[in-house]
Amino acid sequence: HTVRVGPSPLVWFLLCKRTMIPKPPSGAAAVAPMKILLVDDDERSGQMLAGLLRREGFTVEVCPGGLSGLQRLACEPAPDVLVTDLRMPQIDGITVARLARSHSPAMPIFIVTAYPDLARRLDGIDPAPQMFIKPLDYPVLVEALRELPRGRRA
C-alpha cells in the first residue's frame, strides 16, 4: 500500500523549472537580476513584499510556508538569496535557513521576524543570517540586497 504525499512528479517538474525573470530595462547591462526566494506563511505580506522587490528589479519566487520553501530549495537552480519569515507553523524559518545553508553555503540569508527573541535559535548557522525586525524597514532591506556581491548572479 503506497501513500502519496505532496504534488505529482509533473507538478514537481513545473515547480523546479519555473522562472520569473522580468525583462531588463532597455539599455541595462547584461547582468541577470538577483533571484530571491521569499518564504512567508502570511500570503498577503509575502505577495506585497514580492511585488515591491520586483519593482526594484529583483526576480522573486514566493513560497507560502516552510514546507514549500524546503521543497523549492531541493530544486535547481538555487536562488541567489533566501528571505524567510522566522515564525511559521509546521516548519519554521530556522529550518528553512539551515537547509538553504547546507545546499548553498555561500547563499545570503535574510530572516524577517516580529519575534527577535527567537534569534538565539539561529546560533550554529554560519555565516549568520541577517535579521530584520517587523515592521520591516523596506529601504534597509533593499539596500542590504543591493550591497550583496554580484558574483552569485547567473
Side-chain angles (χ1 to χ4, degrees):
H1 185 264
T2 304
V3 176
R4 288 183 59 103
V5 177
S8 70
L10 176 59
V11 172
W12 274 110
F13 174 79
L14 294 173
L15 286 173
C16 294
K17 297 299 178 187
R18 183 169 90 198
T19 59
M20 295 187 273
I21 300 174
K23 288 183 185 178
S26 60
V31 175
M34 182 181 296
K35 298 175 191 98
I36 299 171
L37 177 62
L38 175 60
V39 182
D40 195 335
D41 63 312
D42 182 334
E43 183 179 352
R44 189 172 57 153
S45 294
Q47 291 299 333
M48 186 177 354
L49 180 56
L52 291 169
L53 290 170
R54 286 181 185 120
R55 279 187 223 124
E56 295 289 337
F58 300 106
T59 298
V60 184
E61 183 175 354
V62 180
C63 289
L67 178 60
S68 62
L70 292 179
Q71 291 168 337
R72 172 55 186 90
L73 286 166
C75 299
E76 293 293 331
D80 296 316
V81 180
L82 171 65
V83 177
T84 183
D85 188 11
L86 182 60
R87 190 168 177 198
M88 297 183 283
Q90 299 169 349
I91 297 175
D92 64 14
I94 295 168
T95 303
V96 175
R98 289 186 194 284
L99 181 71
R101 184 67 79 224
S102 72
H103 283 284
S104 300
M107 180 187 298
I109 299 174
F110 294 169
I111 303 283
V112 179
T113 185
Y115 304 94
D117 55 313
L118 297 178
R120 68 185 178 295
R121 293 181 47 211
L122 295 167
D123 291 345
I125 300 178
D126 187 39
Q130 291 188 43
M131 179 81 63
F132 294 86
I133 307 301
K134 294 179 183 178
L136 182 61
D137 188 343
Y138 176 72
V140 172
L141 174 64
V142 170
E143 182 179 336
L145 288 166
R146 292 199 188 287
E147 288 177 355
L148 292 173
R150 297 176 67 92
R152 284 215 15 99
R153 299 183 201 182

